[in-house]
Amino acid sequence: MPEPAHSPEAAGADSGGLPWAGRRIEAAQYADDAGSADPAVLALARQLAGAAAPDRAALEERLVAALATGRVLVPLLAQPDAAGTESRASMATALLQGPDGTQALPVFTGVAALAAWDPAGRPVPTATTEAARSALEEGCVAMLLDVAEEHAVVLRSSQLWALAMGEVWLPAHADPVVRLAVAEAAQGIDGLVGVRAEDGALHAPGTLRLVLSLRPGLPPAVVEGIVARLGERLAAAPDVRRRIDDLAVVLHQATEPADTVPPDPAP
C-alpha cells in the first residue's frame, strides 16, 4: 500500500507544458451534494474489478466516460503543526506515494468509500476533470478511485490526461492518434516489414502491444536498433506519449509481402 503524503492545494502549476493557471479545487457548485456515490460509476468500477483482461479496455472506456461528466470526493487531511500535532485549521490534499517514489491522488465515489480509507478525511466534492488536472499539477502518475474498497480502480496517466483535457479516452491500441503515429514511426526503418498495434492487457493493464514483422535473418544488434528507433519516434511526440501507458513489443519474422511498410516518401 502506498504511503500517504500531504500536499498543499495546487496553485496554478504547469504540467507537461500545459498551463493550469487559475484552476483550483472548487466545491461551491456541489453545495447540495449529499456525498452519495453515482450508482452508474460504482457499477462500472465493480464490473471492472472482476473483469478478465480482454474485457477491461471496453469497461475502462465506459468508466472514464461516466467519470468525465461527474464528480469525485478529494480528501483533505489535517497537517501536523510544529509540535507534531494535527491541526484541522491546516488542511492539505492527501497524496499516496509508492515505493518507487511516484505519487497518486486518491479520490472517492462517495463519503462511505472515503471513510473506509480514512475517517478523518474531509471530503471535497470536485469535478473529476478538475481532480485530474490537480493530480497532474502535483506530478501524479495516477488517480486511485476508492482505494480501500474491493472495487478500487487505478486511473492511469493516459486516462488522467484525457479527463484533464476534456477528451474522450480510448485504449491506446484503438486510439486513431496512436495508430497513425505507429504507422508513421515505422516508415523507412530498414528491416522492419510491418507493425500491428494490439491490446496488450495480458502483459499489464493499459499496455500497447506492438507486433513487429521483421525481415528474416537480421542480427540481434540490428533488431535492437529497430525496436529502439521505433520507440524513440513514438516517445518524441508528447501528444502520442501521453496516450500510451506502457509498451510491449513482440517480434515475428515477416512471411507475407502484404505486410510491407512503405518507405519514407521522397523529399
Side-chain angles (χ1 to χ4, degrees), residues 135-170:
L136 291 170
E137 285 178 350
E138 297 286 359
C140 294
V141 299
M143 283 200 311
L144 305 182
L145 183 70
D146 290 354
V147 63
E149 301 286 357
E150 290 185 0
H151 62 262
V153 174
V154 177
L155 296 168
R156 301 182 301 275
S157 180
S158 67
Q159 295 163 337
L160 291 192
W161 277 105
L163 287 166
M165 301 287 287
E167 298 173 345
V168 173
W169 179 82
L170 293 170

Side-chain angles (χ1 to χ4, degrees), residues 236-256:
D239 189 49
V240 175
R241 190 172 63 244
R242 67 178 175 84
R243 297 167 185 265
I244 301 174
D245 293 303
D246 203 354
L247 192 63
V249 175
V250 177
L251 306 177
H252 288 301
Q253 287 192 356
T255 56
E256 298 181 14

Side-chain angles (χ1 to χ4, degrees), residues 66-155:
L67 287 168
T69 58
R71 68 96 178 103
V72 290
L73 301 180
V74 176
L76 298 184
L77 297 179
Q79 294 191 90
D81 57 21
T85 58
E86 292 189 346
S87 169
R88 292 191 64 84
S90 180
M91 306 290 288
T93 304
L95 298 179
L96 299 179
Q97 184 168 308
D100 60 354
T102 57
Q103 294 191 130
L105 175 68
V107 296
F108 300 89
T109 55
V111 291
L114 193 160
W117 174 69
D118 190 335
R122 172 187 165 191
V124 180
T126 307
T128 311
T129 52
E130 291 294 331
R133 293 182 188 115
S134 295
L136 291 170
E137 285 178 350
E138 297 286 359
C140 294
V141 299
M143 283 200 311
L144 305 182
L145 183 70
D146 290 354
V147 63
E149 301 286 357
E150 290 185 0
H151 62 262
V153 174
V154 177
L155 296 168

